[in-house]
Amino acid sequence: MAFTINTNIASMQAQEYLRATSDFQAKTINRVTSGLRIVNSGDDAAGLAIANGFRSDQAVLNQGIRNANDGLATLQTIDGGINNISKLLDRARSLAAQSASGTFTGSRSVLNSEFQNVMSEIDRQAQAIGMNTGGKFAKSLSVFIGGGRNSAGDQTGADAIANGSVGVNLSASTVDARSLGLKGFEARGAVTGGLQSSSATNLQAIVTDSSNTTAVAGRTTFYVQGAGFSGSDRIKLDVNMSGTSTTAKLAEEVNKAIDAAGNAGTAAAEAFKAANLRASVYTDSTGKEQLTFTSSNAAFQVKAGDKMANAIMGNLSAGTQGSTVSTAVSTTTSAGTFAAGTTVKIRIQGGGLDTAETLTLDVGGDSIATAVSELKTAVDGNAKLKGAGITMDSIAGFSAGGAISLRNDRGESFSVTAVGDTGNLFGMGTWMLDSTDSMDYTSITAIEAPAASASSLRIKVGDSTVTVNFTPSAATGAGAASAFNSAVAALGDSDRQVLQNAGIVADAGANTFLRIRSANNTNFLLTEVGTEYLGFDNGTGTATVAASFVNSPAAAAASSVATIESAGAYQATSAGDTDGEFYTFSKIAYGTGHQTVSVTAVDAGGAKSSVAITLKNNSTNSTDNTGRSIDEALAEINKQLQQTNDASLKKIVAVKDNDGLGNEGIRFMSALAKFEVSIGTTATTQGIKNESNAQGVTYSSEQIGSGANNDISTQAGAEAAVTSLAEAVVKLGDAQAVVGRGQNQFNYAVNLASTQLTNLAASESRIRDADLASEAANLTKAQILTQAGVAAMAQANSAPQAVLSLLRG
């Protein structure tokens, strides 16, 4: 063993052990005094990360439990409010039962006054607890509690958030009077007309007034439209009026018709049945009675179908006489015989037809009398026309030169256009067919070369007719086309704009003959007038010309028909408008004139659903012709709304209304409280416009009117109320069950969260907390090691002095 002075290895080793013991002692003292195993991240970095995650999860769960308890308190408040409403229903049922008794001799008006107060209090309390229609809590409530995981076991992502949340859907658990079926949507006739007296004589006078004609003697007709039963699927109520002399009997017969219509077995009938429409009699404070239609859950429109229904609904022309309902297009025929091979097509558009209906008549060689008979047969045998109420007047005794009339029994506007009758024998215009016998053409080509002589063409685009006079520069298609195009360029601004919008140009077509075409697929009609110079054939294979020009007859204007939208429903309208927006419509005539109508619905939970609907007149695809008439536009809008299969959008319906001046328009209505309608723009402003003839506007829904409560001022009304209240009790119970289920869900969630919280705390403790028994032993160990280390180091430090004894020697 070597002896050294400069390096004391033993001392250095003793110092290192003493330092380690000192560090161990310090760490042990920290653990004992803090109670933590991990004081610094260096103690256990991985363990600290895990423990911090557990601590964070505990923070989330603690707040989640508070969230759940808040939700539980809210549901308990709602539950208490529903209990109060249940007691109010008990009182309302008592009042209704008392008024429904045939032996009751007191004042039903007093009972009804309290009954209406009870209805108002139900609405007030429902609003106070946030469970009225559109109320604060009438939606799907999601309460985040935490502790959720996705399918992979992770706590990240939307799936983990959803798993850590408790949802209670209260959107269908509203408890105001309307939601309980005690207050609904109501359509009532004009106050000044119809059934003005409580006596039977007024109704009897209407029924017995011979001027109040109906399609079938002893019966009258009403039409009802709503979401799922509109347009050609509207519901016809065929009401028996035989022996009906009191308003109560009238309401009874109407309800029979309603029941029969609802059991027709069609999809529209099912939707109508679900609307729960009923008829009753409203008696005002002066004793005047009015037929009233109500629905507990659907917005609807009622329209008179004949003069008697018009009178009942208060639309009177004089005395007890209802205003005329039907509208007609009448023309005067001309004597003559159609040329061999002649085909005439007559198109009827509007009048409630979802799509235009075209009748094809092969009248070659027929006299006008024979052709009129063929037209009558075609109209009478057409199911679509019959369904729309379009008929042809009797032709008994008809002779050449006599008048003929097509009629719409519902009083709606419609148009009639004849094509192929260049001699105007039907009196419906002299427009030509093309070489394929089509009246839907975007291009028409002559069958022979033109003459270089003064010529005249009439061109019809939509409702606009333009005259183009020109002289071909040469007897060729190119010469005629050049002259035509120059003549168009020289037209006045209005006429030139029509043809330019339609893309109408001329060129040399097949065999270099003159061709008139639309560059943007716009349908148009054409006829040559005067002397045959251009070679168009009218589909007969022989060049044809109209001796003189006759345009299509004017469309029949809508008549004054009692049409009522249900009060209490919601309509798209401008701010401050109290009767809903009356959108006007002009037919889309141009191939490029597409218009987009966007409808957005907001459900009770605040979720939005939208659909964009395109209206157009696209000749390349006949199914795209959705904007040629107001009826086609309505049919497309309602079809698209129903085909979304979205519960909110399917509650919205577009209906046709009239302003009483012969003008038809569109209203958007729904039982849904929140929706909006956006009307897109078109370059030519054709299509749908607002009341100010503007496009590019968006209107939100507003409630129009207040609807009506159940009424127990009559025995019949009280009997109906008893039934409604019994159903209301069931609905209230269903709503309260949802609230109770939600309370249980929150309790279960709190229990789970508490368990998770306890286990997370235990897991964190095992990682983070110190084992004090072990640390106490370590502290004793450290103290002993420190003392031994100090003593040993003293010995090591004195060892070099032994070398001095060697030097003394």
Side-chain angles (χ1 to χ4, degrees), residues 26 49 57 114 298 428-429 471 474 559 572 681 738 793 809:
D57 290 345
E114 182 181 353
M428 297 179 182
T471 301
S559 63
T681 59
V738 174
M793 190 168 64

Side-chain angles (χ1 to χ4, degrees), residues 581-603:
E581 188 71 13
F582 181 80
Y583 295 90
T584 60
F585 182 85
S586 60
K587 68 171 61 177
I588 296 175
Y590 304 117
T592 56
H594 298 176
Q595 183 181 37
T596 299
V597 178
S598 298
V599 182
T600 301
V602 183
D603 67 16

Side-chain angles (χ1 to χ4, degrees), residues 385-454:
L385 295 179
K386 184 177 181 180
I390 296 175
T391 59
M392 183 171 172
D393 287 357
S394 172
I395 57 172
F398 173 82
S399 60
I404 56 175
S405 296
L406 291 171
R407 189 172 303 278
N408 182 281
D409 292 335
R410 299 177 185 173
E412 300 183 34
S413 174
F414 71 103
S415 63
V416 179
T417 302
V419 181
D421 182 13
T422 53
N424 195 39
L425 299 187
F426 279 115
M428 297 179 182
T430 55
W431 301 109
M432 288 182 168
L433 296 166
D434 70 2
S435 59
T436 64
D437 283 348
S438 174
M439 64 183 293
D440 290 313
Y441 47 79
T442 58
S443 175
I444 184 169
T445 303
I447 63 170
E448 60 185 44
S453 302

Side-chain angles (χ1 to χ4, degrees), residues 57 147-157 159-160 163:
D57 290 345
R149 296 183 182 275
N150 59 26
S151 57
D154 298 325
Q155 290 184 300
T156 58
D159 289 346
N163 185 248

